[in-house]
Structures are given as structure tokens and as C-alpha cells.
């Protein structure tokens, strides 16, 4: 039997859908910590109300690392389009800011 290790993004995706209530009557703003390849990562999420079959929207922060604010800014879009918002926080201590051509500081 062949054993296959899932990539971290698949584990994150599975966590979001397995722990969410996709048919919630009230919107759910949440914060959880997931461990991917031994690294704990704080993940902010939003689950729109009355959304039976949501799509998934990943929001990635910029250099200012405002993951929770970015999640909140995506709420109207998530409500209109029936999407679960997932916004991981890559903290400064473990994930350095990238600099160079094509990289921009943002929020």
C-alpha cells in the first residue's frame, strides 16, 4: 500500500470545511490555529449564513499582516457569492517579509 502525504494547502482546506457549519443561520467569524508541517498558523475565517454549498476564498495579507481585517473586508463579497473566507496569518517572527522586484508592501 502506498502512503501519500497531503500537501499543507489540502490539509488547510479540509480543516476549514470539516470544522465549518456550511448551513449556518448566522454568520460565523472564527479564529483557529492549524499545524502544518509542524508549524502552527493562525487562520481567520468567515462562514456566511444560509449558504448550503459554499465556494472557498483564500485572502492573503500583505506586509502589514492584517489577516483578520482582510477577512472582514471580504465579508460582503462572501455573503453575495456564497463563499467561505479563509485568511491565514503569516507572522513576522517566522515568515519574513519578502523584498525585491515584484514584491510590494501592503496590508
Amino acid at each position: 500500500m502506498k502512503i501519500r502525504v497531503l500537501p499543507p494547502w489540502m490539509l488547510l482546506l479540509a480543516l476549514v470545511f470539516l470544522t465549518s457549519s456550511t448551513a449556518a443561520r448566522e454568520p460565523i467569524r472564527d479564529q483557529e490555529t492549524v499545524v502544518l508541517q509542524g508549524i502552527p498558523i493562525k487562520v481567520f475565517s468567515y462562514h456566511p449564513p444560509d449558504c448550503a454549498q459554499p465556494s472557498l476564498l483564500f485572502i492573503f495579507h500583505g506586509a502589514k499582516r492584517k489577516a483578520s481585517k482582510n477577512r472582514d473586508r471580504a465579508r460582503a463579497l462572501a455573503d453575495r457569492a456564497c463563499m467561505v473566507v479563509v485568511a491565514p496569518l503569516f507572522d513576522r517572527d517566522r515568515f519574513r517579509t519578502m523584498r525585491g522586484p515584484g514584491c510590494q508592501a501592503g496590508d
Side-chain angles (χ1 to χ4, degrees):
M1 176 179 7
K2 185 176 181 181
I3 297 175
R4 188 174 143 208
V5 177
L6 294 175
W9 67 269
M10 287 182 97
L11 296 174
L12 182 61
L13 181 66
L15 174 75
V16 169
F17 279 107
L18 291 175
T19 61
S20 70
S21 172
T22 57
R25 300 230 183 262
E26 297 293 323
I28 300 170
R29 289 178 55 209
D30 201 7
Q31 172 187 330
E32 296 187 37
T33 300
V34 298
V35 179
L36 299 174
Q37 295 182 340
I39 300 172
I41 298 175
K42 193 178 293 186
V43 178
F44 298 90
S45 63
Y46 171 73
H47 308 266
D50 300 321
C51 185
Q53 295 182 348
S55 296
L56 184 63
L57 175 63
F58 277 96
I59 301 289
F60 293 97
H61 62 73
K64 293 181 183 177
R65 304 181 193 276
K66 296 181 179 180
S68 65
K69 282 190 177 189
N70 289 346
R71 175 217 37 210
D72 295 343
R73 289 179 187 147
R75 182 177 173 171
L77 173 63
D79 287 339
R80 279 193 315 269
C82 185
M83 290 190 242
V84 172
V85 177
V86 177
L89 173 64
F90 299 105
D91 62 81
R92 251 183 246 285
D93 294 335
R94 293 174 299 152
F95 302 95
R96 295 187 350 223
T97 301
M98 298 191 62
R99 304 253 184 234
C103 296
Q104 298 177 2
D107 60 353

XYZ file of all heavy atoms in Angstrom:
842
model
N 0.845 -1.175 0.000
C 0.000 0.000 0.000
C 0.891 1.239 0.000
O 1.828 1.335 0.768
C -0.914 0.029 1.221
C -1.708 1.274 1.248
S -2.916 1.591 2.576
C -2.773 0.366 3.757
N 0.567 2.194 -0.876
C 1.322 3.431 -0.981
C 0.717 4.480 -0.047
O -0.484 4.719 -0.066
C 1.294 3.920 -2.424
C 2.143 5.124 -2.667
C 2.120 5.466 -4.156
C 2.996 6.654 -4.417
N 2.980 7.031 -5.819
N 1.541 5.103 0.761
C 1.092 6.148 1.675
C 1.490 7.491 1.081
O 2.624 7.698 0.695
C 1.715 5.977 3.076
C 1.251 4.659 3.672
C 1.344 7.155 3.966
C 1.876 4.331 4.982
N 0.538 8.377 1.004
C 0.778 9.692 0.411
C 0.538 10.780 1.448
O -0.484 10.781 2.125
C -0.164 9.884 -0.768
C 0.115 11.092 -1.564
C -0.783 11.098 -2.794
N -1.163 12.469 -3.014
C -2.263 12.877 -3.578
N -3.128 12.009 -4.004
N -2.515 14.138 -3.739
N 1.496 11.687 1.565
C 1.357 12.809 2.482
C 0.686 13.949 1.725
O 1.111 14.319 0.638
C 2.735 13.266 3.010
C 2.597 14.482 3.901
C 3.412 12.129 3.746
N -0.372 14.458 2.296
C -1.099 15.559 1.659
C -0.318 16.858 1.783
O 0.300 17.119 2.809
C -2.469 15.740 2.312
C -3.460 14.607 2.141
C -4.713 14.896 2.944
C -3.791 14.390 0.689
N -0.355 17.688 0.747
C 0.297 18.992 0.851
C -0.428 19.861 1.875
O -1.624 19.682 2.120
C 0.189 19.575 -0.553
C -0.784 18.742 -1.282
C -0.946 17.446 -0.552
N 0.280 20.824 2.460
C -0.319 21.658 3.513
C -1.605 22.357 3.090
O -2.536 22.460 3.873
C 0.777 22.681 3.817
C 2.037 22.012 3.408
C 1.687 21.130 2.253
N -1.709 22.824 1.852
C -2.915 23.545 1.438
C -4.135 22.633 1.454
O -5.235 23.079 1.736
C -2.730 24.216 0.081
C -2.570 23.275 -1.070
C -1.396 22.782 -1.567
C -3.602 22.686 -1.852
N -1.639 21.932 -2.608
C -2.992 21.856 -2.820
C -4.985 22.778 -1.843
C -3.717 21.123 -3.741
C -5.704 22.049 -2.780
C -5.065 21.240 -3.720
N -3.934 21.349 1.172
C -5.063 20.413 1.216
C -5.512 20.180 2.654
O -6.706 20.052 2.927
C -4.694 19.086 0.555
C -4.609 19.173 -0.943
S -4.242 17.573 -1.658
C -5.892 17.063 -2.100
N -4.568 20.139 3.571
C -4.922 19.968 4.978
C -5.696 21.170 5.487
O -6.681 21.029 6.210
C -3.657 19.743 5.807
C -2.872 18.481 5.491
C -1.567 18.452 6.269
C -3.699 17.248 5.788
N -5.262 22.367 5.092
C -5.957 23.578 5.495
C -7.367 23.601 4.934
O -8.333 23.912 5.631
C -5.177 24.802 5.017
C -5.736 26.160 5.397
C -5.796 26.330 6.897
C -4.899 27.250 4.772
N -7.505 23.252 3.684
C -8.808 23.204 3.038
C -9.734 22.214 3.746
O -10.890 22.517 4.043
C -8.648 22.818 1.575
C -9.895 22.729 0.725
C -10.530 24.091 0.560
C -9.559 22.141 -0.631
N -9.213 21.046 4.046
C -10.015 20.034 4.735
C -10.441 20.529 6.118
O -11.589 20.349 6.519
C -9.222 18.739 4.854
N -9.528 21.188 6.829
C -9.851 21.699 8.163
C -10.997 22.700 8.097
O -11.939 22.644 8.887
C -8.629 22.361 8.798
C -8.916 23.055 10.122
C -9.077 22.022 11.228
C -7.864 24.051 10.449
N -10.936 23.597 7.146
C -11.969 24.631 7.031
C -13.331 24.006 6.797
O -14.310 24.352 7.450
C -11.620 25.616 5.898
C -12.806 26.518 5.588
C -10.421 26.445 6.287
N -13.421 23.074 5.860
C -14.722 22.502 5.543
C -15.197 21.501 6.585
O -16.394 21.382 6.818
C -14.708 21.878 4.150
C -14.884 22.913 3.077
C -13.832 23.301 2.280
C -16.112 23.521 2.880
C -13.991 24.268 1.308
C -16.291 24.488 1.910
C -15.225 24.867 1.127
N -14.297 20.821 7.227
C -14.720 19.846 8.232
C -15.168 20.509 9.523
O -15.988 19.967 10.244
C -13.594 18.847 8.511
C -13.280 17.891 7.361
C -12.065 17.035 7.704
C -14.474 17.021 7.020
N -14.608 21.675 9.828
C -14.966 22.333 11.086
C -16.032 23.394 10.907
O -16.480 23.980 11.871
C -13.729 22.982 11.745
O -13.206 23.971 10.858
C -12.686 21.962 12.079
N -16.446 23.659 9.669
C -17.425 24.718 9.452
C -18.841 24.160 9.406
O -19.068 23.026 9.039
C -17.121 25.451 8.141
O -17.404 24.608 7.045
N -19.757 25.015 9.770
C -21.168 24.695 9.608
C -21.621 25.396 8.337
O -21.871 26.591 8.340
C -21.953 25.196 10.814
O -23.321 25.043 10.577
N -21.706 24.655 7.241
C -21.973 25.283 5.955
C -23.400 25.770 5.806
O -23.690 26.547 4.928
C -21.649 24.317 4.807
O -22.403 23.126 4.974
C -20.178 23.993 4.762
N -24.289 25.318 6.638
C -25.678 25.766 6.543
C -26.076 26.595 7.771
O -27.196 26.556 8.223
C -26.601 24.568 6.395
N -25.117 27.358 8.299
C -25.381 28.162 9.491
C -26.433 29.224 9.205
O -26.486 29.777 8.123
C -24.088 28.830 9.964
N -27.261 29.496 10.170
C -28.277 30.531 10.012
C -27.691 31.910 10.329
O -28.188 32.916 9.874
C -29.459 30.248 10.926
C -30.110 28.928 10.618
C -31.610 29.123 10.470
N -32.266 27.869 10.239
C -32.609 27.444 9.033
N -32.317 28.160 7.992
N -33.223 26.301 8.871
N -26.671 31.953 11.130
C -25.990 33.193 11.487
C -24.574 33.157 10.902
O -23.975 32.100 10.817
C -25.897 33.327 13.010
C -27.229 33.413 13.709
C -27.974 34.693 13.377
O -27.331 35.747 13.234
O -29.207 34.630 13.238
N -24.039 34.328 10.522
C -22.663 34.339 10.030
C -21.696 33.951 11.143
O -21.945 34.236 12.315
C -22.446 35.784 9.586
C -23.506 36.579 10.250
C -24.643 35.643 10.527
N -20.633 33.282 10.788
C -19.654 32.835 11.774
C -18.303 33.438 11.448
O -17.757 33.217 10.371
C -19.530 31.299 11.778
C -20.870 30.656 12.108
C -18.444 30.853 12.761
C -20.896 29.165 11.902
N -17.766 34.245 12.370
C -16.398 34.737 12.273
C -15.597 33.907 13.252
O -15.963 33.802 14.410
C -16.321 36.218 12.638
C -16.948 37.116 11.601
C -16.901 38.564 12.012
N -15.546 38.961 12.316
C -15.241 39.911 13.174
N -16.156 40.542 13.843
N -13.986 40.239 13.389
N -14.506 33.347 12.789
C -13.775 32.402 13.622
C -12.280 32.640 13.524
O -11.796 33.260 12.582
C -14.115 30.977 13.168
C -13.833 29.936 14.228
O -13.494 30.309 15.375
O -13.943 28.747 13.921
N -11.584 32.126 14.508
C -10.119 32.127 14.512
C -9.678 30.794 15.072
O -10.123 30.382 16.135
C -9.586 33.262 15.380
C -8.106 33.214 15.585
C -7.640 34.263 16.589
O -8.230 35.316 16.723
N -6.580 33.937 17.314
N -8.832 30.105 14.337
C -8.309 28.819 14.779
C -6.820 28.778 14.519
O -6.303 29.545 13.708
C -8.981 27.681 14.018
C -10.463 27.578 14.282
C -11.065 26.347 13.658
O -10.397 25.301 13.642
O -12.188 26.433 13.189
N -6.149 27.861 15.164
C -4.742 27.616 14.891
C -4.625 26.230 14.302
O -5.122 25.263 14.881
C -3.890 27.728 16.173
O -4.035 29.052 16.699
C -2.432 27.459 15.886
N -4.014 26.164 13.125
C -3.773 24.880 12.478
C -2.272 24.617 12.489
O -1.480 25.546 12.530
C -4.315 24.832 11.032
C -5.808 25.016 11.010
C -3.656 25.869 10.167
N -1.886 23.362 12.483
C -0.481 22.994 12.459
C -0.197 22.324 11.127
O -0.747 21.270 10.825
C -0.122 22.058 13.636
C 1.344 21.671 13.572
C -0.448 22.726 14.961
N 0.644 22.965 10.324
C 1.026 22.440 9.021
C 2.520 22.196 9.008
O 3.302 23.120 9.212
C 0.650 23.426 7.906
C -0.831 23.747 7.781
C -1.048 24.823 6.747
C -1.608 22.505 7.413
N 2.901 20.970 8.804
C 4.304 20.552 8.801
C 5.015 21.027 10.067
O 6.133 21.522 10.031
C 5.012 21.044 7.549
C 4.452 20.416 6.293
C 5.161 20.849 5.043
O 5.842 21.871 5.010
N 5.001 20.078 3.987
N 4.335 20.903 11.195
C 4.910 21.245 12.488
C 4.892 22.721 12.827
O 5.389 23.121 13.863
N 4.314 23.552 11.970
C 4.288 24.996 12.195
C 2.858 25.434 12.493
O 1.975 25.266 11.657
C 4.800 25.767 10.954
C 6.237 25.367 10.642
C 4.705 27.275 11.170
C 6.747 25.919 9.337
N 2.616 25.988 13.702
C 1.273 26.489 13.995
C 1.012 27.788 13.230
O 1.857 28.685 13.207
C 1.289 26.729 15.502
C 2.717 26.858 15.864
C 3.516 26.118 14.833
N -0.141 27.869 12.585
C -0.518 29.052 11.816
C -1.924 29.464 12.236
O -2.843 28.653 12.215
C -0.475 28.777 10.302
C 0.945 28.413 9.873
C -0.976 29.989 9.515
C 1.068 28.006 8.426
N -2.068 30.726 12.612
C -3.374 31.266 12.980
C -4.160 31.504 11.688
O -3.647 32.074 10.728
C -3.201 32.577 13.745
C -4.441 33.050 14.438
C -4.190 34.319 15.221
C -3.245 34.044 16.382
N -3.070 35.198 17.264
N -5.401 31.042 11.662
C -6.248 31.178 10.477
C -7.567 31.834 10.884
O -8.244 31.362 11.790
C -6.527 29.804 9.825
C -7.440 29.959 8.624
C -5.234 29.114 9.431
N -7.897 32.929 10.199
C -9.163 33.620 10.416
C -10.119 33.183 9.316
O -9.720 33.029 8.166
C -8.958 35.133 10.355
C -8.036 35.645 11.430
C -6.676 35.729 11.209
C -8.538 36.022 12.661
C -5.820 36.188 12.196
C -7.690 36.478 13.662
C -6.327 36.563 13.425
N -11.369 32.968 9.660
C -12.329 32.532 8.649
C -13.672 33.225 8.855
O -13.952 33.765 9.922
C -12.514 31.012 8.686
O -13.049 30.605 9.923
N -14.451 33.201 7.803
C -15.813 33.736 7.847
C -16.702 32.784 7.065
O -16.380 32.389 5.947
C -15.884 35.135 7.222
C -17.301 35.626 7.067
C -18.033 36.030 8.173
C -17.915 35.650 5.822
C -19.353 36.461 8.040
C -19.228 36.085 5.677
C -19.936 36.483 6.786
O -21.228 36.893 6.652
N -17.818 32.397 7.662
C -18.789 31.492 7.053
C -20.106 32.243 6.909
O -20.719 32.591 7.915
C -18.979 30.251 7.931
C -17.702 29.576 8.288
N -17.192 28.534 7.574
C -16.805 29.823 9.284
C -16.056 28.149 8.116
N -15.793 28.919 9.148
N -20.542 32.529 5.675
C -21.781 33.285 5.502
C -23.015 32.488 5.936
O -23.002 31.255 5.921
C -21.822 33.583 4.003
C -20.924 32.586 3.372
C -19.928 32.165 4.407
N -24.084 33.186 6.312
C -25.305 32.499 6.733
C -26.050 31.904 5.544
O -25.952 32.391 4.424
C -26.121 33.611 7.389
C -25.681 34.844 6.687
C -24.217 34.633 6.381
N -26.813 30.865 5.813
C -27.695 30.242 4.811
C -26.999 29.949 3.491
O -27.528 30.218 2.418
C -28.927 31.119 4.565
C -29.724 31.299 5.845
O -29.847 30.320 6.604
O -30.210 32.416 6.095
N -25.822 29.400 3.573
C -25.023 29.105 2.384
C -24.755 27.601 2.373
O -23.861 27.112 3.042
C -23.721 29.898 2.445
S -22.716 29.736 0.991
N -25.572 26.867 1.622
C -25.536 25.408 1.668
C -24.329 24.797 0.967
O -23.799 23.793 1.409
C -26.813 24.838 1.069
N -23.886 25.374 -0.141
C -22.755 24.820 -0.892
C -21.752 25.926 -1.203
O -21.670 26.404 -2.336
C -23.230 24.152 -2.174
C -24.098 22.951 -1.923
C -24.507 22.275 -3.226
O -24.336 22.803 -4.309
N -25.054 21.090 -3.106
N -20.961 26.348 -0.199
C -20.067 27.485 -0.403
C -18.848 27.139 -1.256
O -18.388 26.004 -1.290
C -19.634 27.843 1.015
C -19.688 26.544 1.745
C -20.862 25.804 1.154
N -18.353 28.162 -1.935
C -17.046 28.093 -2.576
C -16.033 28.545 -1.536
O -16.406 28.993 -0.449
C -16.988 29.020 -3.786
O -17.907 28.604 -4.763
N -14.769 28.478 -1.868
C -13.707 28.832 -0.932
C -12.932 30.031 -1.466
O -12.541 30.048 -2.635
C -12.772 27.641 -0.743
C -11.655 27.786 0.267
C -12.226 27.990 1.667
C -10.783 26.539 0.253
N -12.747 31.039 -0.631
C -11.995 32.233 -0.993
C -10.838 32.397 -0.020
O -11.052 32.608 1.169
C -12.903 33.472 -0.947
C -12.238 34.826 -1.189
C -11.635 34.897 -2.598
C -13.226 35.950 -0.960
N -9.605 32.248 -0.521
C -8.419 32.493 0.297
C -8.041 33.955 0.173
O -7.977 34.495 -0.932
C -7.236 31.641 -0.170
C -7.253 30.251 0.369
C -7.790 29.216 -0.373
C -6.714 29.964 1.615
C -7.805 27.928 0.113
C -6.731 28.678 2.114
C -7.274 27.661 1.363
N -7.782 34.613 1.302
C -7.329 36.000 1.344
C -5.943 35.987 1.990
O -5.787 35.499 3.106
C -8.278 36.877 2.201
C -9.705 36.853 1.668
C -7.748 38.299 2.322
C -9.900 37.580 0.381
N -4.950 36.539 1.292
C -3.593 36.588 1.836
C -3.225 38.036 2.131
O -3.386 38.912 1.281
C -2.598 35.969 0.855
C -2.806 34.503 0.683
C -3.545 34.015 -0.386
C -2.305 33.603 1.603
C -3.760 32.657 -0.551
C -2.518 32.245 1.457
C -3.246 31.774 0.384
N -2.725 38.262 3.339
C -2.370 39.616 3.765
C -1.063 40.064 3.118
O -0.311 39.271 2.570
C -2.262 39.681 5.294
C -1.200 38.796 5.861
N 0.144 39.075 5.745
C -1.280 37.627 6.529
C 0.840 38.125 6.346
N -0.007 37.226 6.816
N -0.805 41.367 3.237
C 0.449 41.946 2.775
C 1.424 42.085 3.927
O 1.310 41.409 4.953
N 2.367 42.981 3.775
C 3.442 43.153 4.758
C 2.946 43.641 6.116
O 3.599 43.405 7.129
C 4.498 44.116 4.211
N 1.789 44.313 6.149
C 1.264 44.801 7.426
C 0.581 43.698 8.229
O 0.242 43.897 9.391
C 0.302 45.961 7.196
C 1.018 47.186 6.646
C 0.060 48.323 6.445
C 0.768 49.508 5.833
N -0.158 50.607 5.558
N 0.362 42.561 7.621
C -0.145 41.355 8.285
C -1.503 41.550 8.971
O -1.702 41.174 10.117
C 0.892 40.824 9.258
C 2.208 40.576 8.540
C 3.271 40.026 9.429
N 4.557 40.086 8.799
C 5.043 39.173 7.948
N 4.336 38.133 7.639
N 6.235 39.308 7.432
N -2.448 42.104 8.238
C -3.785 42.354 8.774
C -4.764 41.284 8.291
O -5.757 41.572 7.620
C -4.261 43.736 8.353
C -3.426 44.860 8.922
C -3.969 46.191 8.485
C -3.153 47.322 9.070
N -3.696 48.612 8.641
N -4.505 40.055 8.657
C -5.323 38.930 8.176
C -6.776 39.049 8.624
O -7.696 38.836 7.833
C -4.724 37.608 8.641
N -7.005 39.391 9.886
C -8.390 39.460 10.366
C -9.145 40.613 9.711
O -10.329 40.477 9.376
C -8.443 39.577 11.885
O -7.870 40.792 12.320
N -8.494 41.748 9.499
C -9.153 42.872 8.826
C -9.458 42.539 7.377
O -10.512 42.901 6.858
C -8.293 44.128 8.909
C -8.353 44.805 10.247
C -7.688 46.150 10.195
C -7.841 46.836 11.542
N -7.408 48.220 11.507
N -8.535 41.851 6.724
C -8.772 41.461 5.333
C -9.934 40.482 5.232
O -10.732 40.554 4.303
C -7.508 40.876 4.716
C -6.448 41.933 4.489
O -6.717 43.124 4.537
N -5.233 41.498 4.247
N -10.025 39.563 6.200
C -11.181 38.654 6.243
C -12.472 39.454 6.356
O -13.434 39.220 5.631
C -11.052 37.712 7.434
C -12.280 36.824 7.596
C -12.707 36.520 9.013
N -12.573 37.589 9.979
C -12.336 37.388 11.248
N -12.166 36.162 11.718
N -12.240 38.392 12.084
N -12.480 40.442 7.249
C -13.675 41.249 7.458
C -14.035 42.064 6.216
O -15.204 42.235 5.909
C -13.493 42.165 8.662
C -13.367 41.387 9.967
O -13.727 40.187 9.991
O -12.900 41.981 10.959
N -13.031 42.544 5.499
C -13.287 43.314 4.273
C -13.896 42.444 3.172
O -14.568 42.953 2.292
C -11.991 43.935 3.773
C -11.494 45.064 4.634
C -10.196 45.610 4.097
N -9.643 46.586 5.011
C -8.357 46.786 5.207
N -7.474 46.083 4.516
N -7.933 47.677 6.058
N -13.642 41.162 3.208
C -14.166 40.253 2.180
C -15.563 39.742 2.515
O -16.153 39.007 1.728
C -13.213 39.073 2.012
N -16.092 40.153 3.637
C -17.378 39.624 4.099
C -18.529 39.891 3.124
O -19.318 38.985 2.830
C -17.705 40.206 5.468
C -18.986 39.690 6.034
C -19.228 40.227 7.418
N -20.562 39.824 7.852
C -21.008 39.991 9.068
N -20.253 40.549 9.979
N -22.223 39.602 9.385
N -18.634 41.103 2.598
C -19.737 41.425 1.679
C -19.668 40.555 0.429
O -20.695 40.034 -0.033
C -19.704 42.903 1.304
N -18.476 40.376 -0.104
C -18.306 39.512 -1.273
C -18.690 38.074 -0.935
O -19.381 37.405 -1.694
C -16.864 39.565 -1.775
C -16.496 38.592 -2.887
C -17.309 38.873 -4.143
C -15.003 38.662 -3.179
N -18.255 37.602 0.226
C -18.568 36.233 0.645
C -20.064 36.022 0.802
O -20.592 34.977 0.414
C -17.843 35.910 1.953
N -20.748 37.015 1.353
C -22.202 36.921 1.505
C -22.910 36.860 0.150
O -23.800 36.045 -0.060
C -22.742 38.111 2.307
C -22.401 38.033 3.790
O -22.112 36.924 4.287
O -22.423 39.088 4.447
N -22.492 37.728 -0.774
C -23.128 37.768 -2.095
C -22.867 36.506 -2.910
O -23.750 36.010 -3.602
C -22.604 38.967 -2.898
C -23.238 40.271 -2.570
C -22.926 41.344 -3.597
N -21.539 41.410 -4.007
C -20.598 42.159 -3.434
N -20.910 42.914 -2.395
N -19.370 42.172 -3.883
N -21.631 35.985 -2.823
C -21.223 34.877 -3.698
C -21.229 33.514 -2.999
O -20.793 32.530 -3.592
C -19.840 35.156 -4.269
N -21.704 33.447 -1.766
C -21.743 32.190 -1.005
C -20.349 31.561 -0.943
O -20.088 30.496 -1.485
C -22.748 31.225 -1.634
S -22.981 29.706 -0.685
N -19.428 32.273 -0.253
C -18.046 31.805 -0.125
C -17.608 31.793 1.331
O -17.934 32.706 2.088
C -17.093 32.729 -0.877
C -17.204 32.673 -2.358
S -15.829 33.577 -3.074
C -16.702 34.844 -3.940
N -16.867 30.755 1.697
C -16.190 30.713 2.983
C -14.855 31.421 2.794
O -14.100 31.115 1.874
C -15.954 29.258 3.454
C -15.087 29.231 4.699
C -17.282 28.565 3.702
N -14.573 32.411 3.644
C -13.328 33.172 3.565
C -12.309 32.557 4.518
O -12.626 32.289 5.679
C -13.552 34.655 3.939
C -12.240 35.430 3.922
C -14.568 35.287 3.016
N -11.102 32.337 4.032
C -10.008 31.809 4.844
C -8.834 32.768 4.707
O -8.389 33.057 3.596
C -9.576 30.403 4.367
C -8.398 29.893 5.177
C -10.742 29.444 4.457
N -8.355 33.296 5.843
C -7.262 34.263 5.835
C -6.182 33.829 6.829
O -6.265 34.119 8.013
C -7.790 35.646 6.187
N -5.149 33.121 6.360
C -4.071 32.719 7.263
C -3.185 33.909 7.633
O -3.032 34.843 6.840
C -3.279 31.690 6.442
C -3.587 32.003 5.023
C -4.955 32.628 5.006
N -2.656 33.886 8.840
C -1.743 34.931 9.304
C -0.329 34.359 9.327
O -0.039 33.422 10.072
C -2.123 35.412 10.702
C -1.131 36.381 11.353
C -1.063 37.684 10.565
C -1.510 36.640 12.794
N 0.534 34.925 8.508
C 1.940 34.522 8.487
C 2.705 35.563 9.291
O 3.014 36.645 8.798
C 2.444 34.425 7.041
C 1.693 33.408 6.237
C 0.748 33.786 5.296
C 1.913 32.046 6.450
C 0.038 32.843 4.570
C 1.196 31.091 5.730
C 0.274 31.493 4.779
N 2.995 35.221 10.559
C 3.572 36.187 11.490
C 4.999 36.586 11.101
O 5.702 35.883 10.404
C 3.530 35.645 12.917
C 4.341 34.383 13.068
O 5.574 34.474 13.206
O 3.734 33.295 13.024
N 5.403 37.770 11.585
C 6.720 38.328 11.272
C 7.884 37.484 11.775
O 8.928 37.436 11.141
C 6.830 39.713 11.885
C 6.804 40.810 10.893
C 6.994 42.158 11.571
N 5.803 42.967 11.467
C 5.420 43.573 10.371
N 6.127 43.465 9.294
N 4.317 44.277 10.350
N 7.713 36.855 12.925
C 8.820 36.109 13.517
C 9.229 34.900 12.669
O 10.405 34.600 12.558
C 8.454 35.631 14.930
C 8.280 36.789 15.888
O 8.867 37.864 15.638
O 7.553 36.614 16.882
N 8.266 34.230 12.089
C 8.579 33.004 11.348
C 8.517 33.160 9.837
O 9.067 32.352 9.104
C 7.639 31.880 11.787
C 7.899 31.483 13.234
C 6.909 30.495 13.725
N 5.574 31.097 13.653
C 4.466 30.399 13.483
N 4.513 29.105 13.356
N 3.298 30.991 13.439
N 7.842 34.206 9.374
C 7.697 34.410 7.933
C 8.153 35.833 7.614
O 7.394 36.783 7.777
C 6.234 34.214 7.510
C 5.702 32.858 7.854
C 5.000 32.647 9.033
C 5.894 31.782 7.005
C 4.506 31.393 9.359
C 5.403 30.529 7.320
C 4.713 30.339 8.503
N 9.389 35.951 7.163
C 9.952 37.273 6.879
C 9.230 37.925 5.697
O 8.760 37.249 4.793
C 11.433 37.158 6.548
C 12.235 36.673 7.724
C 13.721 36.712 7.472
N 14.094 36.989 6.092
C 15.045 36.362 5.443
N 15.700 35.389 6.008
N 15.354 36.697 4.208
N 9.205 39.240 5.710
C 8.637 39.998 4.600
C 9.530 39.823 3.387
O 10.733 39.954 3.469
C 8.515 41.481 4.979
O 7.692 41.593 6.117
C 7.937 42.300 3.848
N 8.915 39.574 2.248
C 9.676 39.430 1.012
C 9.937 40.814 0.426
O 9.076 41.667 0.427
C 8.921 38.555 0.017
C 8.712 37.158 0.559
S 8.130 36.014 -0.680
C 9.473 36.018 -1.828
N 11.130 41.001 -0.078
C 11.509 42.257 -0.733
C 12.129 41.925 -2.082
O 12.748 40.887 -2.247
C 12.538 43.013 0.115
C 12.051 43.280 1.526
C 11.713 44.745 1.687
N 11.340 44.994 3.059
C 10.224 45.566 3.392
N 9.375 45.936 2.492
N 9.924 45.780 4.643
N 11.981 42.810 -3.007
C 12.602 42.603 -4.303
C 11.649 42.928 -5.427
O 10.525 43.380 -5.205
N 12.097 42.708 -6.666
C 11.257 43.025 -7.814
C 9.927 42.268 -7.752
O 9.887 41.076 -7.486
C 12.082 42.553 -9.002
C 13.483 42.444 -8.496
C 13.382 42.154 -7.039
N 8.857 42.973 -7.967
C 7.538 42.340 -7.992
C 6.888 42.206 -6.630
O 5.734 41.844 -6.529
N 7.613 42.484 -5.548
C 7.052 42.374 -4.199
C 6.703 43.770 -3.705
O 7.493 44.689 -3.817
C 8.065 41.747 -3.233
S 8.479 40.062 -3.661
N 5.502 43.938 -3.180
C 5.057 45.228 -2.702
C 4.597 45.112 -1.264
O 3.982 44.114 -0.892
C 3.896 45.754 -3.545
C 4.255 45.969 -4.989
C 3.054 46.429 -5.795
O 1.974 46.612 -5.258
N 3.258 46.635 -7.067
N 4.885 46.116 -0.476
C 4.371 46.148 0.887
C 2.918 46.577 0.829
O 2.558 47.492 0.114
C 5.176 47.133 1.733
N 2.075 45.900 1.512
C 0.651 46.218 1.520
C 0.019 45.759 2.800
O 0.695 45.322 3.702
N -1.297 45.850 2.867
C -1.942 45.404 4.095
C -2.709 44.147 3.813
O -3.300 43.559 4.605
C -2.841 46.486 4.674
C -3.939 46.892 3.724
O -3.954 46.460 2.597
O -4.763 47.690 4.168
